[in-house]
Amino acid sequence: MADVHLRINGVDRRLEVEPRVSLLDALRERLGLTGTKKGCDQGACGACTVLADGERVLSCLALAVQYEGREITTIEGVADPIQRAFVRHDGFQCGYCTSGQICSALGMLAEHAAGAPSAVTEGLAAAEIELTEAEIRERMSGNLCRCGAYNGIVAAIQETQETRVAERDVPTLVEGRR
Amino acid sequence: MTTYVGEAVDRVDGTAKTTGGARFSAEYPYPDLAHAALVHATVARGRITRLDTTAAEAVPGVIAVLTHRNAPPLKPAPRVTPLNLATLASGTSVNYLNTDEVHWNGQPVAVVVAESPEAAQEAAHLVEVAYAHLPATVDFAAAEPDAKPQKSNLIMSGGAVKGDPEAALAAAPVALDLRYTTPPHHHNAIEPHATTAHWADGRLTLHDGAQNIYWTRDHLAMRFGIPKDDIRVLSPFVGGAFGGKTMVWPGTILAAMAAKATGRPVRLMLTREGVYRTVGGRTPSTQRVAVGADESGRMTALIHTSVTLTGRVGGGPEQVTSQTRHLYDAAAIRVQQNLVELDVLSNTVMRAPGESIGTFALEATVDELAYRLGVDPIELRARNEPARNPMDGKAFAHRKLRECFEQGAKEFGWAGRNPEPRSTRDGRWLVGTGVAAAYHPSWQFPANVTVRLSADGTALVRCGFHEMGMGGATAQAQIAADALGLPVEAVTVEYGDTRLPTGPGAGGSAQTASVAAALVAACEKLTRLARALARRTPGAAGASYPEILRLAGRDSIEARVGSDTRLGTAVGQLRFAGKLMSDRRRWVKAACGAQFCEVRVDADTGEVRVTRWLGVFDVGRVINAKTAASQLRGGIVMGIGMALAEETLVDPRTGRIMNASLSEYHVPVHADVPAIEIRYLDDPDPTMPLGLIGVGEVSITGVAGAIANAVFHATGRRIRDLPITLDKLL
Ligand code: FES
Ligand code: FES
């Protein structure tokens, strides 16, 4: 048994787990945070995506003990306009991939904001990479949705990005943000 | 007065699903919960000769290892009888852990129960089993020539003939006789099948992702020999299903068995591999489509035959030739479905079983005929559009297929198309466009509903239906809100619990229509009650329904439709079956549509990308513009997977699925899916409740056909074997 300390959704949590316990199972089975989903347990579907210090990770491929002292954000700790955007654009049907899509999208937007290119980025030297539909699709391709809500997910992410850009450019709007 | 029906109302469970609040069946906490894992047989057919569980039992935290030697008895799977539809629900006929025989490669032969999921998994790997092999037939391609004609039953006919199609084909000035193959497919709902089972005082509570909670309940009652009222199945959220959660598969039964044997609440969440090993998928098929036409393009002969498989332990025919009875007005028609029985896991229903793959072969053939004749494929379809059902002259309840093609052609810009194959190139991409018809029969099942209206202006709708993503609760809330004159937020819909009035299963694209019919009737009863109350209540004339209650001093009034008593159910089922049969005698009922797409094929690598999609559908009245469009899109996405990537690979020697994972079975990802434009005619079908025809399945039909046709237009190559992978285009 290992003693692990994680900061999850802003709360310090200690848990005793075997070293083989995945971060995903630690969240779901030990901490009751079942918002993070298990779709394959093999790193192939993205349903288990969470944010570790703001970066997206597949929690089924991560061991809880590896994340000692790290800041983990799960869907239960997300409070972002992107969630409303998913509802508005119907970016899900059954909802099982949704937690992963949302966490992944937030991590992806941060990667993009930090200037990370993707496999479809054309001008790598450009100061700012435009987050086109093709860019979003490429960057989100690790998150499967068998219900096929991809169009709605892309629209929700685009809207979120547009709002963020607008708010960045017009500082007064920031106060109105929910 | 309609306010909500037809509108793009946000899903009522949208917040739950975007905040992690929606609980799926593996997510119910129980103190003392134990975890189970399955051990799968590794031979196609055989007998267990040696079983060593010592190492598994020695793993710390293991509570029990159940095998056929020590598992509690289970009653055999019931014989199918039309008097009890739940007898149809057996995933297989095998009596799990009550036999030393193995009937398919992957059958569960042991269940480990442990204090943690990790210990259960570890111990499952340590169970040693040896087998005596028995001869097994597992290779579909090898067995396919020996297929036998499918016998007709009440709901599906195996074959039919009009005129002398073979003679007409031989005499036709233009004729094609083509062979197609499609591989097995798996649903791959992102939520793996999961069950949490809890026994208390001989009663079972089961959280189980299911498409028919009543079938699950009744089936378990038969297997465990207890009254069905002693079982409660809860399934408020299902993480995708697509047919794969209709039958009762081994995991559900074994979770309940493990909980019974250990006296602990038990959770069994299948691994992704476990889903492939223990839940059936779509049959592979071989198909022959032959068509003869005169020079004007009028079809004189149309023949469609198929071979599909069933497992020796279960499964059934899939209606691969169904659409061919209805789509084209050929003078002579023959359809015939044939079956082979193999020593593999049962096939099962998967989104548009039959039509999804049948429309591929038929619509690709029609396109090929159009090219042979030098006629535009849409024009060819128009020339063969029947006024009445081609097979028997029955009337169509609703048929707006031509309108779908016309509207689609206009919006897609079909008119400007250069029909010449390989005529459009954009850099390294060969560009092509294709069309195909979509077709899926519509159904309606009985449903019991109660509606309660309260003086505080809220309403409660209760019906044990299912939510796997279709947005059923939202649609029913809209219907009730309109009927009762309430804001949609004031309506609560309860579903997914066998304690509720018996709802329909989620299948055949029928659930929304089935519940809607009962809900509309219940709301009418309720408003009649309210109006009667108003007449007796001073000052209530012209008041809203909740105001009437307030003025009359009533807290609430309730109406119910259907009867859940034993007699009531029997009478209700008979009356329903009677109406269904008379409906079927009078009309052919279906949803249909026109699929338009553009593909780009890499001239060097043969890689196919879908770059544009437009689907125009005739699905009657649409209740929710947002969720219906999403569901239609979802079917197209799955169809894109079927056309270009999806294939379950089965080892022809051992019957073992070789790509039992999401990394080797390729479902479409974000990058594979373009913007999909959806249109629907929104023209109510007068023979359906509220005029609505189901939207769940029609949109997967025709997709693979449209893509294959577009690939031909782009490359000049006809690929008749799915999936259209790049190796086939080189
Ligand atoms: S559950 Fe982690 S990627 Fe599928
Ligand atoms: S919403 Fe069902 S898998 Fe994405």
Side-chain angles (χ1 to χ4, degrees):
Chain A
M1 283 286 183
D3 189 19
V4 191
H5 162 251
L6 304 168
R7 196 171 163 77
I8 300 173
N9 301 329
V11 180
D12 286 318
R13 308 289 296 251
R14 294 208 91 84
L15 62 163
E16 287 262 301
V17 288
E18 292 177 87
R20 64 177 169 180
V21 172
S22 69
L23 179 58
L24 175 60
D25 285 333
L27 292 169
R28 282 172 65 86
E29 306 293 348
R30 278 32 174 223
L31 297 168
L33 291 170
T34 53
T36 306
K37 303 303 180 194
K38 183 187 282 189
C40 69
D41 218 14
Q42 295 176 316
C45 75
C48 63
T49 309
V50 299
L51 299 167
D53 297 318
E55 284 183 16
R56 44 184 178 166
V57 296
L58 297 175
S59 62
C60 72
L61 291 188
L63 296 171
V65 292
Q66 287 176 286
Y67 284 79
E68 172 64 34
R70 304 277 295 274
E71 174 98 43
I72 308 293
T73 306
T74 69
I75 189 69
E76 289 93 342
V78 172
D80 189 280
I82 198 170
Q83 290 159 292
R84 289 301 309 159
F86 264 69
V87 176
R88 246 190 328 275
H89 293 281
D90 216 28
F92 54 89
Q93 291 183 41
C94 75
Y96 199 78
C97 73
T98 314
S99 309
Q101 302 278 359
I102 290 173
C103 288
S104 185
L106 292 172
M108 182 276 284
L109 289 173
E111 288 161 24
H112 170 261
S118 81
V120 299
T121 306
E122 300 220 340
L124 286 183
E128 196 160 337
I129 301 161
E130 195 194 339
L131 201 57
T132 59
E133 276 182 34
E135 281 280 359
I136 294 174
R137 283 190 201 121
E138 175 62 28
R139 290 165 189 256
M140 290 296 294
S141 278
N143 289 84
L144 306 183
C145 177
R146 188 55 159 166
C147 295
Y150 293 128
N151 281 191
I153 297 168
V154 171
I157 295 174
Q158 259 182 324
E159 184 187 285
T160 306
Q161 167 71 0
E162 278 158 21
T163 317
R164 285 183 177 194
V165 169
E167 288 176 359
R168 190 188 62 198
D169 295 348
V170 189
T172 49
L173 272 183
V174 175
E175 284 153 23
R177 187 167 154 180
R178 279 179 300 154
Chain B
M1 181 205 67
T2 290
T3 317
Y4 294 107
V5 167
E7 294 301 307
V9 175
D10 285 350
R11 286 172 195 263
V12 295
D13 53 12
T15 303
K17 286 175 175 175
T18 52
T19 57
R23 253 181 220 283
F24 294 82
S25 50
E27 298 167 357
Y28 285 83
Y30 277 93
D32 218 24
L33 182 73
H35 300 263
L38 300 183
V39 179
H40 303 279
T42 52
V43 300
R45 240 187 106 217
R47 233 167 237 286
I48 298 172
T49 53
R50 200 174 66 81
L51 191 65
D52 188 349
T53 57
T54 337
E57 279 157 359
V59 170
V62 167
I63 300 162
V65 181
L66 301 177
T67 69
H68 70 278
R69 291 190 192 145
N70 61 350
L74 194 64
K75 297 207 185 312
R79 276 178 175 285
V80 173
T81 148
L83 297 175
N84 178 2
L85 294 180
T87 56
L88 290 169
S90 309
T92 81
S93 59
V94 175
N95 209 5
Y96 313 119
L97 302 198
N98 276 237
T99 170
D100 63 351
E101 283 176 66
V102 171
H103 298 272
W104 83 88
N105 199 326
Q107 178 184 320
V109 291
V111 181
V112 177
V113 187
E115 299 291 347
S116 71
E118 293 81 14
Q121 283 294 337
E122 179 190 354
H125 286 295
L126 296 174
V127 174
E128 283 181 38
V129 194
Y131 306 89
H133 289 256
L134 289 170
T137 315
V138 295
D139 184 357
F140 177 70
E144 181 267 340
D146 301 323
K148 307 262 182 313
Q150 174 200 326
K151 292 196 197 77
S152 297
N153 62 27
L154 260 177
I155 46 171
M156 203 191 298
S157 126
V161 63
K162 175 179 88 167
D164 186 349
E166 296 289 354
L169 184 69
V174 184
L176 291 168
D177 198 341
L178 305 170
R179 184 184 152 90
Y180 296 85
T181 67
T182 64
H185 297 132
H186 275 80
H187 313 79
N188 277 308
I190 299 297
E191 180 202 24
H193 296 58
T195 308
T196 307
H198 174 54
W199 291 84
D201 308 324
R203 291 162 171 261
L204 173 64
T205 303
L206 202 75
H207 305 272
D208 185 71
Q211 287 178 252
N212 195 326
I213 49 178
Y214 298 94
W215 276 14
T216 302
R217 177 195 65 185
D218 296 0
H219 184 83
L220 289 175
M222 290 184 262
R223 301 305 287 272
F224 288 99
I226 57 174
K228 62 183 182 186
D229 292 340
D230 286 355
I231 301 179
R232 181 181 189 187
V233 179
L234 293 131
S235 196
F237 291 103
V238 182
F242 317 111
K245 294 172 182 170
T246 305
M247 305 299 168
V248 183
W249 298 102
T252 301
I253 295 173
L254 292 172
M257 181 198 271
K260 193 175 173 151
T262 58
R264 300 269 299 264
V266 167
R267 174 175 303 150
L268 173 55
M269 185 179 207
L270 296 187
T271 59
R272 180 55 57 181
E273 179 188 349
V275 179
Y276 280 87
R277 303 263 179 257
T278 64
V279 177
R282 194 194 297 289
T283 178
S285 78
T286 60
Q287 300 178 51
R288 174 192 177 210
V289 183
V291 61
D294 61 23
E295 277 88 359
S296 74
R298 291 289 315 226
M299 291 183 194
T300 53
L302 182 59
I303 299 166
H304 192 168
T305 67
S306 65
V307 179
T308 62
L309 70 72
T310 62
R312 224 176 293 285
V313 292
E318 300 189 20
Q319 47 185 25
V320 178
T321 66
S322 124
Q323 68 289 321
T324 311
R325 296 163 178 254
H326 309 297
L327 276 175
Y328 300 107
D329 198 14
I333 302 177
R334 185 167 85 90
V335 294
Q336 181 62 52
Q337 296 170 172
N338 304 282
L339 293 170
V340 286
E341 210 175 65
L342 299 184
D343 297 296
V344 298
L345 176 56
S346 327
N347 67 314
T348 194
V349 290
M350 177 168 165
R351 208 170 200 164
E355 292 91 358
S356 53
I357 51 178
T359 48
F360 158 62
L362 178 63
E363 292 303 282
T365 306
V366 169
D367 196 72
E368 212 161 325
L369 179 65
Y371 272 88
R372 189 64 72 80
L373 290 159
V375 177
D376 178 79
I378 295 177
E379 171 58 26
L380 179 67
R381 287 179 174 86
R383 284 184 201 170
N384 290 284
E385 173 66 15
R388 303 180 75 83
N389 190 46
M391 211 72 216
D392 51 19
K394 245 185 246 177
F396 293 119
H398 199 251
R399 172 94 164 194
K400 296 269 185 284
L401 183 55
R402 262 184 105 136
E403 288 83 342
C404 291
F405 273 109
E406 280 161 15
Q407 182 178 338
K410 219 174 286 160
E411 292 200 30
F412 193 78
W414 187 260
R417 177 187 194 247
N418 175 356
E420 192 55 32
R422 233 184 156 86
S423 57
T424 309
R425 195 165 173 145
D426 179 7
R428 45 189 258 258
W429 298 102
L430 303 169
V431 185
T433 51
V435 284
Y439 185 92
H440 190 265
S442 65
W443 294 90
Q444 193 194 327
F445 304 120
N448 297 276
V449 170
T450 65
V451 186
R452 187 195 305 153
L453 176 69
S454 297
D456 64 4
T458 62
L460 175 65
V461 175
R462 305 175 84 230
C463 174
F465 67 91
H466 309 80
E467 164 57 15
M468 307 110 63
M470 311 83 84
T474 313
Q476 304 304 339
Q478 290 173 256
I479 293 169
D482 282 356
L484 303 174
L486 298 176
V488 73
E489 306 78 44
V491 181
T492 302
V493 182
E494 289 181 0
Y495 57 91
D497 181 350
T498 49
R499 293 255 170 100
L500 295 171
T502 309
S509 301
Q511 185 173 259
T512 303
S514 308
V515 179
L519 177 57
V520 167
C523 289
E524 275 166 11
K525 268 194 187 175
L526 199 64
T527 52
R528 265 202 308 277
L529 268 176
R531 282 196 301 271
L533 203 55
R535 282 193 294 276
R536 299 197 301 267
T537 308
S544 74
Y545 297 125
E547 271 164 23
I548 295 170
L549 297 195
R550 282 195 291 274
L551 291 167
R554 296 280 293 269
D555 288 341
S556 66
I557 50 172
E558 185 167 294
R560 64 176 61 226
V561 160
S563 169
D564 265 333
T565 62
R566 204 169 287 262
L567 182 66
T569 308
V571 171
Q573 278 196 356
L574 278 179
R575 196 182 302 138
F576 177 81
K579 177 173 177 328
L580 187 91
M581 297 316 285
S582 81
D583 257 25
R584 299 268 142 190
R585 267 196 298 276
R586 285 172 70 186
W587 292 302
V588 169
K589 300 177 124 185
C592 60
Q595 308 271 20
F596 289 76
C597 72
E598 177 193 88
V599 303
R600 289 170 177 247
V601 184
D602 189 304
D604 298 321
T605 67
E607 179 190 5
V608 181
R609 312 293 307 164
V610 178
T611 45
R612 273 176 76 200
W613 203 282
L614 169 67
V616 184
F617 298 97
D618 171 22
V619 287
R621 189 203 300 276
V622 163
I623 304 296
N624 185 318
K626 196 179 285 205
T627 57
S630 289
Q631 226 185 326
L632 291 166
R633 266 191 204 101
I636 291 166
V637 172
M638 203 175 273
I640 291 174
M642 184 174 112
L644 298 178
E646 293 185 34
E647 175 169 25
T648 306
L649 299 163
V650 181
D651 185 333
R653 302 160 304 174
T654 63
R656 193 159 181 89
I657 293 173
M658 299 186 287
N659 58 341
S661 80
L662 283 170
S663 44
E664 291 167 282
Y665 180 109
H666 294 155
V667 305
V669 305
H670 272 284
D672 297 322
V673 177
I676 295 172
E677 296 295 330
I678 298 291
R679 305 282 182 273
Y680 45 82
L681 304 181
D682 212 12
D683 184 50
D685 178 340
T687 70
M688 292 295 282
L690 286 178
L692 74 96
I693 312 176
V695 298
E697 294 168 281
V698 65
S699 69
I700 192 177
T701 71
V703 173
I707 291 177
N709 297 342
V711 166
F712 168 75
H713 185 223
T715 65
R717 302 279 303 277
R718 289 280 178 195
I719 307 301
R720 302 192 190 97
D721 305 293
L722 293 186
I724 306 173
T725 43
L726 60 185
D727 50 302
K728 292 173 187 162
L729 284 163
L730 288 179

